[in-house]
Amino acid sequence: AVEQDKVLVVSTATASLQDQLASKDIPLAIKALAGAGIQGIQWAVAKGRERHLCPVKLEALTSTTDLFNQGDKPLHDKIGDLWESGSWDGVRDTLPMRIDRQAWSQVANTSASCVGEGCPSYEGCPYYEAIGKAKKARVIITNHDYLLANFANVDKSYLCDSERNIFVFDEAHHLSDKILSAFASSLDLSTNYREELKRLGKMQGDRSGASIDIASERMLAMWNAAAQSTLAMLGDGTQHRFTLGEAPGSYIELVGDLKGSIRNLLDVLEDTTAAQNAQAKASGARRSAMSVIFQSRVGQMRGDLENAIETLDDFIEPSDDRARWLAKGRSSIEIRSSPFDSGEKARMHLWPRIKTCVLTSATLSTLGSFDATRAQLGLPQDTSDLRLGSPLDYSRARLVVPTLAAEAGTKPYGSMVRAYIRDQAINSKELGTLVYFTSKAQMLDVYGSLTADERGLVLMQGEWQPSAMIEEHKRRVDAGQRSVLFGMDSLSEGVDLPGEYCTRVFVTRLPFPSPNDPVLATHAEHLERKGLHAFNLLMLPKAGLKLAQVCGRLIRKDGDYGDVVCLDSRLVSKTYGRRLVATTSFTSVSRH
């Protein structure tokens, strides 16, 4: 990048890995380059807009709470004190206190609520200051979600300049799922906009307020009808997937009517906003902070409604490349859709805009080749690739399937797992052990079968924050105490447990993706309709990738040793077992 006067854009999978790059890896690389005579390399971090504070929203919630009547005032007052004192940079990740998603969303910067250079707080805005720094940097550290959102939604972004940038996708095995997420959409019909719309109507005056009220009532009536119809289709279940992504015509007609009522309300809001802007321009007066705050509220509402229309468009428009389903949570009723062919989306939106790119990961190849990765990322067969062997000594480790292991799903399987985990994980002499589960139900079942004393040895995901759980595990092992980690996907990668911290890993079940995943299930239906084998093309590569990640928790540095114990006999009894083993760094499976 330096030699060609380019900018290096390094994208990784998560915000925590992004912070690791920013705090450790990139500064170390720049220090090494400085030793070689390459000086003055500036770097910057680029995170999503929503991770930055909006000072105007914070002002609204701390100084005008009675007017807007939203938010947790004591919490937002504390945030305001930190911001005003200059002791916080306005980025959520560095906030020295816990804040839930809802409370943060009330002060977060969003494209819909932001008025840009017209804002009185534009100078000093955390988001625009971060962009200004990034535009001057030689190295930009970002994450897949934010970068792909720019490719999907921003026509001219400094992050997506192919003439200017060289791209590195770190942890690229996540990229196909991130691409699907970037083009997925959802609409929560449990969201209640009534009070906010009433408030906006009152603040607009008699004539404009009446127009907003009328359009709001029409939209809210259709919104409620769509919510009730969605609940009826869900019945007692939490998910209803439409076969081949094809929703019934009556439901499509209903959500189409909802879309029309939202569009009508949007038109009214746009008209009233335009009238206000014209009046302010004619008077020549500078907009007050309160006027900007109000416009930001209208902008947020318009942004929410425009997102709703985009979701409904995705759901309504006929296409054979999307999964469509309904979902119900504890407090949500959602219409969802997502493309299922990440390769096609990458060919359309990503690779035509990238000239130079490196994809890298410890688990980028699966089942012994890059074929699945090429297909998932829409890459041609002649894409250059390089597969390197592990620099670690795997002769000090074994992949083991016990002779008494049963096939997952059979009658003896559950009791076998409970007994084996108690005997070989809980009551073993190993100090550090990790037990990987593919489902929360099985993890709770095994945990529930233990005695109170045995449970005292276990640190279980869900009862601890991940970072606190790892810290406590290491503290116990350092003190010479036994410690057993129970966890699922969050413990399968990105967890570093070298030496005595982990000398045995248990895989309770081969990590095939859930057959209830609506995107995978719809993709499988389309493949089967074409006469293709969905299991080999979809399920097996994903299982191989996940198994490799779990096995990678064992050997982290020179001198590490131990066993990966798989309690699912399909690894040796099924013909695809050998292909799964080839994905890991092990060359064979032992039986004992």
Side-chain angles (χ1 to χ4, degrees):
V2 171
E3 290 175 350
Q4 299 180 17
D5 194 25
K6 302 279 189 180
V7 173
L8 179 64
V9 178
V10 182
S11 178
T12 192
T14 64
S16 60
L17 287 172
Q18 189 177 359
D19 290 339
Q20 178 182 312
L21 282 167
S23 63
K24 180 181 177 183
D25 301 331
I26 296 298
L28 182 62
I30 290 175
K31 182 179 179 181
L33 289 171
I38 302 175
Q39 305 282 346
I41 298 176
Q42 295 183 355
W43 58 272
V45 174
K47 294 185 177 181
R49 180 191 284 266
E50 291 80 4
R51 303 193 79 83
H52 297 81
L53 172 75
C54 172
V56 170
K57 285 185 176 180
L58 182 63
E59 179 183 350
L61 290 171
T62 55
S63 64
T64 57
T65 306
D66 290 340
L67 176 62
F68 293 102
N69 192 30
Q70 284 193 349
D72 181 340
K73 192 171 191 313
L75 176 61
H76 290 130
D77 283 345
K78 290 179 182 178
I79 294 174
D81 291 341
L82 289 170
W83 175 245
E84 291 296 329
S85 68
S87 57
W88 174 51
D89 62 3
V91 181
R92 181 180 181 180
D93 306 276
T94 59
L95 186 65
M97 64 178 68
R98 292 191 65 178
I99 182 170
D100 63 34
R101 183 176 299 178
Q102 181 177 1
W104 175 255
S105 69
Q106 292 161 359
V107 296
N109 191 321
T110 65
S111 58
S113 63
C114 183
V115 296
E117 295 183 12
C119 177
S121 297
Y122 178 77
E123 297 293 334
C125 171
Y127 177 64
Y128 287 106
E129 283 201 337
I131 286 181
K133 183 179 179 182
K135 286 183 176 180
K136 297 176 183 177
R138 175 70 68 189
V139 181
I140 300 173
I141 307 164
T142 188
N143 58 75
H144 299 340
D145 287 324
Y146 183 49
L147 182 58
L148 292 170
N150 276 264
F151 275 109
N153 302 311
V154 183
D155 290 335
K156 294 182 179 179
S157 166
Y158 71 99
L159 282 174
C160 306
D161 187 343
S162 65
E163 297 295 334
R164 173 177 177 263
N165 298 343
I166 294 172
F167 295 89
V168 173
F169 286 96
D170 179 37
E171 300 291 333
H173 61 276
H174 287 289
L175 194 55
S176 60
D177 288 338
K178 296 292 188 181
I179 289 170
L180 294 180
S181 296
F183 292 94
S185 56
S186 65
L187 174 61
D188 187 354
L189 294 172
S190 69
T191 306
N192 188 351
Y193 289 118
R194 184 175 295 279
E195 293 304 317
E196 180 72 359
L197 287 168
K198 279 184 179 180
R199 193 174 297 116
L200 292 177
K202 287 179 181 178
M203 297 183 68
Q204 283 282 32
D206 293 340
R207 181 176 298 178
S208 295
S211 298
I212 292 175
D213 288 343
I214 293 170
S216 297
E217 287 303 318
R218 290 174 178 168
M219 190 276 287
L220 291 169
M222 289 305 307
W223 190 279
N224 184 61
Q228 293 305 313
S229 179
T230 301
L231 284 172
M233 295 188 72
L234 283 162
D236 294 332
T238 58
Q239 180 175 289
H240 178 81
R241 183 181 65 84
F242 299 107
T243 303
L244 291 168
E246 298 172 358
S250 58
Y251 189 75
I252 292 293
E253 183 177 352
L254 176 62
V255 296
D257 291 340
L258 172 60
K259 173 189 166 185
S261 68
I262 296 173
R263 171 52 64 193
N264 181 60
L265 176 57
L266 263 176
D267 291 342
V268 171
L269 290 174
E270 288 170 1
D271 289 344
T272 55
T273 303
Q276 266 199 353
N277 290 338
Q279 185 178 2
K281 187 175 182 180
S283 67
R286 180 176 173 82
R287 286 184 292 180
S288 65
M290 185 54 62
S291 172
V292 172
I293 290 170
F294 175 70
Q295 282 212 9
S296 117
R297 307 293 295 204
V298 175
Q300 185 64 57
M301 177 59 68
R302 287 172 56 186
D304 289 350
L305 297 178
E306 286 168 356
N307 288 337
I309 287 178
E310 289 178 8
T311 296
L312 295 174
D313 276 338
D314 287 340
F315 197 88
I316 294 168
E317 290 298 319
S319 64
D320 59 1
D321 64 349
R322 292 188 78 85
R324 294 172 177 83
W325 70 101
L326 311 175
K328 179 171 62 177
R330 184 174 300 174
S331 58
S332 63
I333 309 163
E334 292 182 288
I335 297 174
R336 294 182 179 180
S337 75
S338 170
F340 52 71
D341 188 347
S342 55
E344 180 62 24
K345 288 297 180 184
R347 282 190 292 269
M348 291 175 59
H349 299 279
L350 196 60
W351 307 133
R353 299 172 64 183
I354 290 180
K355 284 192 173 181
T356 307
C357 178
V358 175
L359 306 170
T360 180
S361 167
T363 51
L364 194 56
S365 64
T366 182
L367 305 180
S369 78
F370 290 98
D371 291 344
T373 298
R374 287 194 187 93
Q376 291 168 3
L377 296 180
L379 295 168
Q381 285 297 316
D382 61 353
T383 301
S384 300
D385 61 59
L386 176 64
R387 187 183 182 199
L388 299 170
S390 173
L392 301 172
D393 185 3
Y394 269 80
S395 68
R396 296 172 58 86
R398 296 184 304 168
L399 177 59
V400 177
V401 176
T403 53
L404 54 76
E407 184 174 319
T410 60
K411 190 173 182 179
Y413 169 74
S415 58
M416 179 276 299
V417 170
R418 288 190 293 271
Y420 203 92
I421 293 301
R422 167 181 275 119
D423 184 56
Q424 297 296 322
I426 305 298
N427 296 314
S428 77
K429 295 181 180 179
E430 307 293 330
L431 287 180
T433 300
L434 186 153
V435 184
Y436 169 76
F437 296 90
T438 59
S439 76
K440 184 177 181 180
Q442 187 186 40
M443 181 172 71
L444 293 175
D445 175 66
V446 173
Y447 185 77
S449 70
L450 303 177
T451 66
D453 287 343
E454 289 171 338
R455 291 178 193 174
L457 299 173
V458 175
L459 299 170
M460 185 166 65
Q461 182 179 332
E463 293 189 345
W464 295 72
Q465 289 292 328
S467 57
M469 184 167 66
I470 298 301
E471 184 178 338
E472 172 62 13
H473 175 78
K474 290 183 176 180
R475 186 199 66 77
R476 292 182 181 185
V477 173
D478 288 341
Q481 302 169 358
R482 285 182 292 136
S483 181
V484 182
L485 293 168
F486 274 21
M488 295 178 290
D489 281 352
S490 65
L491 289 185
S492 69
E493 60 178 308
V495 175
D496 193 27
L497 298 170
E500 295 294 321
Y501 293 133
C502 183
T503 55
R504 189 171 288 179
V505 174
F506 290 87
V507 181
T508 58
R509 187 182 188 128
L510 291 179
F512 286 102
S514 169
N516 295 323
D517 182 300
V519 178
L520 273 176
T522 305
H523 195 178
E525 287 174 346
H526 280 270
L527 290 174
E528 298 287 355
R529 189 168 67 168
K530 294 177 182 178
L532 301 173
H533 201 290
F535 178 81
N536 286 334
L537 293 174
L538 291 180
M539 308 304 179
L540 200 56
K542 287 185 176 294
L545 176 63
K546 181 60 66 178
L547 182 62
Q549 291 165 354
V550 178
C551 291
R553 297 315 96 208
L554 182 65
I555 304 296
R556 307 299 298 170
K557 64 179 181 63
D558 289 341
D560 282 1
Y561 65 95
D563 292 340
V564 174
V565 183
C566 180
L567 301 182
D568 188 342
S569 65
R570 290 180 295 174
L571 192 63
V572 291
S573 65
K574 300 296 184 183
T575 55
Y576 55 72
R578 288 189 299 274
R579 298 179 64 191
L580 290 174
V581 173
T583 300
T584 73
S585 295
F586 296 95
T587 57
S588 62
V589 184
S590 301
R591 300 297 305 270
H592 75 73

